[in-house]
Amino acid sequence: MTSTSVGVPMRFFPRNHRGSSALPRKPAILLFNPWATRTGRVPNSLLHIAAALGDSYDIELVDGNLEPDPWAVIEPLLASGRFSFFGCTVMPGPQLRQAVPIARRVRERFAQVVTIWGGYFPSNHPQAVLRSGWVDYIVQSAGEGSLPALLQALCDGKSPDEIPGLIFQRDGQLVRTGRAPMPDLDKQPALPLKLLARRNPIARYLPRTFLGRRTHAMHTSMGCPFMCAFCAVVPLYQGRWEARSAELVASDALQMRDAHGVDAIEFTDNNFFVSEKRVRAFAERMRGQGVAWWGEGRIDTIDRYSDQTLALMREAGCRMIFFGAESGDDEVLAMVDKGGRQSGEQILSFAARLLSFGIIPEYSFVLGFPRPTEAEVWAQIHRDIAFIRRLKDQSPATEIILYIYSPVPTEGSALQQNSQAAGFRFPTTLEEWVSPAWESFDLHRNPLTPWLTPEMARHIHDFETVINARYPTRTDFSLGNWGRRLMQLASLPRYWSGVYRRPLELKVLQRLRRYTRPEVEGFYAETN
């Protein structure tokens, strides 16, 4: 491969910038959102990037959530010779299933196209991504500034070394250009929804949910100020948080209501509730506007909110909030860097408090953390299950989501050190990441962790089946009262006796009723 004096491969320069005497076309980039969810959600991460690129670039967006065969759309677009860049956002889990084979096809079929990945997965696993030979650049965290600067540098034939927020490979070594500054979200342009409308009606991105008939996913902040040891956001933002003002968030929401009939909002921010002042100002603006909403927050943060703010939130449309409860064991909470801020007793008392205001707490618990011995892993699983039952006895309306612990590359954390000491290692190639054995790893459904035996994983999943039948999630609005009551009755013998092993009758019933297990609303649709 021929290189320039600054070490950037020649094929990285767009063809329409190579000395033509004609007026140059605008450089073109094809943005791809791989499949992540059964229902369409607005791909906010790519729309934010497209907004930052503005009119200086010719942009097309292909959404794998709505295209039956994305490659059938991508291939002819790239074959047109119009595009010099191919950008892809990739979260761990299902998006890899489409992102990896399509990246390989792009490189094999269109070697001159520059491939750029962003999102949690490539930022946390850059070696596996770049050493595949299918991806040229990784944009870390806030791409609103880094990607436009990268494209401009490549179009001008300049080195990207001085552009913060990038990872790429040179002479077999990874080059990291440092952290990019967080953008001022109040100065960001409006999202170009017209890119979506070229291929699909906007209504296809506004699904019916338990919140409303037309639910819009919004991302209004970046990062999180907390440093939880198991969270994939931490390596990207390192405790940084930047948010759009409450006034502009409310204006954006109401504009979607008026233009597209939106009556519900899913805030897919990593932590929507960092600032009580911001949330209160937003709620003041949304009161009486006929829009229900949901978001993600922390128990220890919102428990400090005043009663007046919680009452206002409910009046303004807040129906449910997702929280990472993680465990009711204070020792485990300390291990995952939540100790001292959150406790088992607080988890219990806060659920009751939030329900008293008519807001449903949606608690996720992570089971199967590493422990020194197999007996201790079992003991911890049994303690977590007992705590969840205690929570349900006290506050049965609390939603419960169960996950199995999957390590994330949080350098220096005690949790990562314990995982490595137990023999855990991440895959080193993209081929391995998309193998059947690792397919569900980052969905926290079937992790390949040395300390967790298949019997332990089955026990957790069996308990999950029983508790989901005993307390069907409200988010499955299609279940109906009779279906809900039938599952509750069928689960009683197992739930009362504590015998969870092989609940085949409940699994069959859930399949017949097409029951959907509780999930974080829109979580796998958002890739910021």
Side-chain angles (χ1 to χ4, degrees), residues 338-517:
K338 279 198 170 181
R341 295 187 294 268
Q342 179 174 304
S343 67
E345 289 303 316
Q346 184 185 37
I347 291 170
L348 294 170
S349 63
F350 179 71
R353 183 185 178 212
L354 200 62
L355 285 167
S356 72
F357 289 94
I359 301 173
I360 300 171
E362 188 178 28
Y363 280 173
S364 76
F365 288 87
V366 181
L367 281 64
F369 285 108
R371 309 294 285 181
T373 67
E374 182 176 321
E376 290 177 86
V377 178
W378 266 120
Q380 186 61 59
I381 290 172
H382 291 313
R383 284 196 294 272
D384 287 334
I385 288 175
F387 182 84
I388 292 168
R389 290 183 58 116
R390 179 185 171 195
L391 171 65
K392 273 296 192 179
D393 289 343
Q394 173 205 280
S395 303
T398 303
E399 291 276 316
I400 300 295
I401 299 175
L402 296 184
Y403 294 116
I404 295 177
Y405 171 63
S406 299
V408 296
T410 48
E411 293 294 336
S413 72
L415 192 55
Q416 185 191 36
Q417 292 171 1
N418 292 342
S419 299
Q420 291 175 339
F424 176 80
R425 297 293 184 272
F426 288 108
T428 58
T429 67
L430 287 183
E431 291 93 339
E432 191 178 0
W433 271 110
V434 294
S435 67
W438 284 91
E439 188 175 46
S440 299
F441 175 79
D442 273 300
L443 293 179
H444 306 281
R445 301 298 299 158
N446 186 31
L448 304 176
T449 49
W451 56 86
L452 198 72
T453 67
E455 185 180 1
M456 294 174 185
R458 280 195 299 270
H459 185 72
I460 294 170
H461 290 315
D462 288 346
F463 170 69
E464 179 184 38
T465 297
V466 174
I467 196 170
N468 282 348
R470 181 70 188 94
Y471 298 98
T473 176
R474 299 188 187 194
T475 62
D476 189 346
F477 57 87
S478 64
L479 187 60
N481 290 333
W482 281 105
R484 196 176 302 274
R485 184 61 177 161
L486 180 61
M487 282 205 296
Q488 289 175 323
L489 290 173
S491 67
L492 279 179
R494 286 186 176 274
Y495 192 78
W496 281 345
S497 67
V499 178
Y500 312 124
R501 184 176 175 80
R502 299 187 184 279
L504 299 180
E505 76 286 359
L506 298 181
K507 291 182 178 181
V508 169
L509 182 58
Q510 288 173 350
R511 179 168 295 184
L512 290 174
R513 301 299 306 178
R514 297 182 179 179
Y515 176 72
T516 301
R517 66 183 285 270

Side-chain angles (χ1 to χ4, degrees), residues 217-372:
M218 290 181 62
H219 207 83
T220 71
S221 66
M222 286 187 174
C224 176
F226 299 95
M227 300 286 285
C228 300
F230 57 90
C231 180
V233 175
V234 170
L236 275 68
Y237 295 100
Q238 293 294 319
R240 296 179 298 165
W241 181 74
E242 184 72 29
R244 191 164 170 84
S245 67
E247 293 74 16
L248 290 179
V249 172
S251 177
D252 293 342
L254 295 177
Q255 184 177 3
M256 288 298 296
R257 181 199 64 181
D258 296 341
H260 302 289
V262 165
D263 60 357
I265 302 289
E266 294 172 346
F267 289 109
T268 57
D269 305 45
N270 303 124
N271 190 341
F272 181 77
F273 297 90
V274 170
S275 166
E276 180 178 1
K277 179 180 179 181
R278 175 177 179 258
V279 171
R280 185 174 182 87
F282 170 75
E284 290 278 9
R285 183 70 177 83
M286 296 300 293
R287 182 164 47 184
Q289 299 296 336
V291 178
W293 48 282
W294 169 101
E296 300 182 41
R298 284 177 58 103
I299 293 169
D300 56 340
T301 297
I302 301 181
D303 200 20
R304 292 195 293 269
Y305 280 23
S306 69
D307 288 353
Q308 291 78 10
T309 297
L310 294 178
L312 174 62
M313 286 162 50
R314 180 61 177 84
E315 185 182 357
C318 183
R319 297 292 178 263
M320 181 183 289
I321 303 175
F322 170 84
F323 301 94
E326 321 314 351
S327 174
D329 188 314
D330 290 352
E331 180 184 348
V332 173
L333 291 172
M335 181 175 66
V336 302
D337 294 332
K338 279 198 170 181
R341 295 187 294 268
Q342 179 174 304
S343 67
E345 289 303 316
Q346 184 185 37
I347 291 170
L348 294 170
S349 63
F350 179 71
R353 183 185 178 212
L354 200 62
L355 285 167
S356 72
F357 289 94
I359 301 173
I360 300 171
E362 188 178 28
Y363 280 173
S364 76
F365 288 87
V366 181
L367 281 64
F369 285 108
R371 309 294 285 181

